Coordinates of all heavy atoms in Angstrom, one line a residue:
P1 N 19.9 -2.3 17.7 CA 19.3 -2.2 16.4 C 20.4 -2.2 15.3 O 21.5 -1.5 15.5 CB 18.6 -0.9 16.4 CG 19.1 -0.1 17.5 CD 19.6 -1.1 18.6
S2 N 20.2 -2.9 14.2 CA 21.1 -2.9 13.1 C 20.6 -2.2 11.9 O 21.2 -2.1 10.8 CB 21.5 -4.3 12.7 OG 20.3 -5.0 12.4
R3 N 19.4 -1.6 12.0 CA 18.7 -0.9 10.9 C 17.7 0.0 11.4 O 17.3 -0.1 12.6 CB 18.1 -1.9 9.9 CG 17.0 -2.7 10.7 CD 16.3 -3.7 9.8 NE 15.3 -4.5 10.5 CZ 14.0 -4.1 10.7 NH1 13.7 -2.9 10.2 NH2 13.2 -4.8 11.4
I4 N 17.2 0.9 10.6 CA 16.0 1.6 11.0 C 14.9 1.3 9.9 O 15.2 1.1 8.8 CB 16.2 3.2 11.1 CG1 16.6 3.7 9.7 CG2 17.3 3.5 12.1 CD1 16.6 5.3 9.7
E5 N 13.7 1.3 10.4 CA 12.5 1.2 9.5 C 12.1 2.6 9.1 O 11.8 3.4 9.8 CB 11.4 0.5 10.3 CG 10.2 0.2 9.4 CD 9.1 -0.5 10.2 OE1 9.1 -0.4 11.5 OE2 8.1 -1.0 9.6
Y6 N 12.2 2.8 7.8 CA 12.1 4.1 7.2 C 10.8 4.2 6.4 O 10.6 3.5 5.4 CB 13.3 4.4 6.3 CG 13.3 5.9 5.9 CD1 13.7 6.9 6.8 CD2 13.0 6.2 4.6 CE1 13.7 8.2 6.4 CE2 13.1 7.5 4.1 CZ 13.4 8.5 5.0 OH 13.4 9.8 4.6
A7 N 10.0 5.2 6.8 CA 8.7 5.4 6.2 C 8.7 6.4 5.0 O 9.3 7.5 5.1 CB 7.6 5.9 7.2
I8 N 8.1 6.0 3.9 CA 7.9 6.9 2.7 C 6.5 6.8 2.3 O 5.9 5.7 2.2 CB 8.9 6.4 1.6 CG1 10.3 6.5 2.0 CG2 8.6 7.3 0.3 CD1 11.3 6.0 1.0
Q9 N 5.9 8.0 2.0 CA 4.5 8.1 1.7 C 4.2 9.0 0.6 O 5.0 10.0 0.4 CB 3.7 8.5 3.0 CG 2.2 8.4 2.9 CD 1.6 8.6 4.3 OE1 2.2 8.9 5.2 NE2 0.3 8.4 4.4
T10 N 3.2 8.7 -0.2 CA 2.9 9.6 -1.4 C 1.4 9.8 -1.5 O 0.6 8.8 -1.3 CB 3.4 8.9 -2.7 OG1 4.8 8.8 -2.6 CG2 3.1 9.8 -3.9
I11 N 1.0 11.0 -1.8 CA -0.4 11.3 -2.0 C -0.5 12.0 -3.4 O 0.1 13.1 -3.5 CB -1.1 12.2 -0.9 CG1 -1.0 11.4 0.4 CG2 -2.5 12.5 -1.3 CD1 -1.5 12.3 1.6
A12 N -1.2 11.4 -4.3 CA -1.3 12.1 -5.7 C -2.7 12.4 -5.9 O -3.7 11.7 -5.6 CB -0.8 11.1 -6.7
F13 N -2.9 13.6 -6.6 CA -4.3 14.0 -7.0 C -4.3 13.9 -8.5 O -3.9 14.8 -9.2 CB -4.5 15.5 -6.5 CG -4.6 15.6 -5.1 CD1 -3.4 15.7 -4.3 CD2 -5.8 15.6 -4.4 CE1 -3.5 15.9 -2.9 CE2 -5.9 15.7 -3.0 CZ -4.7 15.9 -2.3
G14 N -4.8 12.8 -9.0 CA -4.9 12.6 -10.5 C -3.5 12.8 -11.1 O -2.5 12.2 -10.6
E15 N -3.5 13.6 -12.1 CA -2.2 14.0 -12.7 C -1.8 15.4 -12.4 O -0.9 16.0 -13.0 CB -2.3 13.8 -14.2 CG -2.5 12.3 -14.6 CD -2.5 12.1 -16.1 OE1 -2.2 13.1 -16.8 OE2 -2.9 11.0 -16.5
S16 N -2.4 16.1 -11.4 CA -2.2 17.5 -11.1 C -1.1 17.7 -10.1 O -0.4 18.8 -10.1 CB -3.5 18.2 -10.8 OG -4.1 17.6 -9.6
L17 N -1.0 16.9 -9.1 CA 0.0 17.1 -8.0 C 0.3 15.8 -7.3 O -0.6 15.0 -7.0 CB -0.6 18.1 -6.9 CG 0.2 18.3 -5.7 CD1 1.6 19.0 -6.1 CD2 -0.5 19.2 -4.7
C18 N 1.6 15.6 -7.0 CA 2.1 14.5 -6.3 C 2.9 14.9 -5.1 O 3.9 15.7 -5.2 CB 3.0 13.5 -7.1 SG 3.5 12.0 -6.3
M19 N 2.4 14.6 -3.9 CA 3.1 15.0 -2.6 C 3.8 13.8 -2.1 O 3.3 12.7 -1.9 CB 2.1 15.4 -1.6 CG 1.1 16.5 -2.1 SD -0.3 16.9 -1.0 CE 0.6 17.8 0.3
T20 N 5.1 13.9 -1.8 CA 5.9 12.9 -1.2 C 6.4 13.3 0.2 O 6.8 14.4 0.4 CB 7.2 12.6 -2.1 OG1 6.7 12.0 -3.4 CG2 8.1 11.6 -1.5
F21 N 6.3 12.3 1.1 CA 6.6 12.6 2.5 C 7.7 11.6 2.9 O 7.5 10.4 2.9 CB 5.4 12.4 3.4 CG 4.2 13.3 3.0 CD1 3.3 12.9 2.1 CD2 4.0 14.5 3.7 CE1 2.2 13.7 1.7 CE2 3.0 15.3 3.4 CZ 2.1 14.9 2.4
L22 N 8.8 12.2 3.4 CA 10.0 11.4 3.8 C 10.2 11.5 5.3 O 10.1 12.6 5.8 CB 11.2 11.8 3.1 CG 11.2 11.8 1.6 CD1 12.5 12.4 1.0 CD2 11.0 10.4 1.0
A23 N 10.5 10.4 6.0 CA 10.7 10.5 7.4 C 12.0 11.1 7.8 O 13.0 11.1 6.9 CB 10.6 9.1 8.0
G24 N 12.2 11.5 9.0 CA 13.4 12.0 9.5 C 13.9 13.3 9.0 O 13.1 14.1 8.4
E25 N 15.1 13.7 9.4 CA 15.7 15.0 9.1 C 16.4 14.8 7.8 O 17.6 14.5 7.7 CB 16.6 15.5 10.2 CG 15.9 15.7 11.5 CD 16.6 16.7 12.4 OE1 16.9 17.8 11.9 OE2 16.9 16.4 13.6
V26 N 15.7 15.2 6.7 CA 16.2 14.9 5.3 C 16.9 16.1 4.8 O 16.4 17.2 4.9 CB 15.1 14.5 4.4 CG1 15.6 14.0 3.1 CG2 14.2 13.4 5.1
C27 N 18.1 15.9 4.2 CA 18.9 17.0 3.7 C 18.4 17.5 2.4 O 17.7 16.8 1.7 CB 20.4 16.7 3.7 SG 20.8 15.5 2.4
A28 N 18.9 18.7 2.0 CA 18.4 19.3 0.7 C 18.7 18.5 -0.5 O 17.9 18.6 -1.5 CB 19.0 20.7 0.6
D29 N 19.7 17.7 -0.5 CA 20.1 17.0 -1.7 C 18.9 16.1 -2.2 O 18.8 15.9 -3.4 CB 21.3 16.1 -1.4 CG 22.6 16.8 -1.3 OD1 22.6 18.1 -1.5 OD2 23.6 16.2 -1.0
Y30 N 18.1 15.6 -1.3 CA 17.0 14.7 -1.7 C 16.0 15.5 -2.4 O 15.5 15.0 -3.5 CB 16.4 14.0 -0.4 CG 17.3 12.9 0.1 CD1 18.2 13.1 1.1 CD2 17.1 11.6 -0.4 CE1 19.0 12.1 1.6 CE2 17.9 10.5 0.1 CZ 18.8 10.8 1.1 OH 19.6 9.8 1.6
G31 N 15.5 16.6 -1.9 CA 14.5 17.4 -2.5 C 15.0 17.8 -3.9 O 14.2 17.8 -4.9
L32 N 16.2 18.3 -4.0 CA 16.8 18.8 -5.2 C 16.9 17.7 -6.2 O 16.6 17.9 -7.4 CB 18.1 19.5 -5.0 CG 18.0 20.7 -4.1 CD1 19.5 21.2 -3.8 CD2 17.3 21.9 -4.8
R33 N 17.3 16.5 -5.8 CA 17.5 15.4 -6.7 C 16.1 14.9 -7.2 O 16.0 14.7 -8.4 CB 18.2 14.2 -6.0 CG 18.3 13.0 -6.9 CD 19.1 11.9 -6.3 NE 19.0 10.7 -7.1 CZ 19.7 9.5 -6.9 NH1 20.5 9.5 -5.8 NH2 19.5 8.5 -7.7
L34 N 15.2 14.7 -6.3 CA 13.9 14.3 -6.8 C 13.2 15.2 -7.7 O 12.6 14.8 -8.7 CB 13.0 14.0 -5.6 CG 13.4 12.8 -4.7 CD1 12.6 12.8 -3.4 CD2 13.1 11.5 -5.5
K35 N 13.4 16.5 -7.5 CA 12.8 17.5 -8.4 C 13.5 17.5 -9.7 O 13.0 18.1 -10.7 CB 12.8 18.9 -7.8 CG 11.7 19.0 -6.7 CD 11.5 20.4 -6.2 CE 12.5 20.8 -5.2 NZ 12.2 22.1 -4.5
S36 N 14.7 17.0 -9.8 CA 15.5 16.9 -11.1 C 15.1 15.6 -11.8 O 15.2 15.6 -13.1 CB 17.0 17.0 -10.8 OG 17.5 15.8 -10.3
E37 N 14.7 14.6 -11.1 CA 14.4 13.3 -11.8 C 12.9 13.1 -12.1 O 12.6 12.3 -12.9 CB 14.9 12.2 -10.9 CG 16.4 12.1 -10.7 CD 16.9 11.0 -9.8 OE1 16.0 10.2 -9.3 OE2 18.1 10.8 -9.7

């Protein structure tokens, strides 16, 4: 293999909540960055 197929999923409830699901063992930098952006 020369790549991995990486799954990203989102479930949003209107404008009240957005849940993002990232595959694999994701480090804290991602959650902190996304919550800043």
Side-chain angles (χ1 to χ4, degrees):
S2 59
R3 61 180 179 84
I4 64 170
E5 185 180 15
Y6 188 74
I8 300 174
Q9 192 167 6
T10 300
I11 299 174
F13 294 84
E15 298 183 8
S16 55
L17 176 64
C18 184
M19 307 169 76
T20 292
F21 300 87
L22 303 176
E25 301 207 48
V26 188
C27 70
D29 286 358
Y30 284 90
L32 296 172
R33 174 176 175 176
L34 289 169
K35 285 188 283 189
S36 75
E37 295 182 354

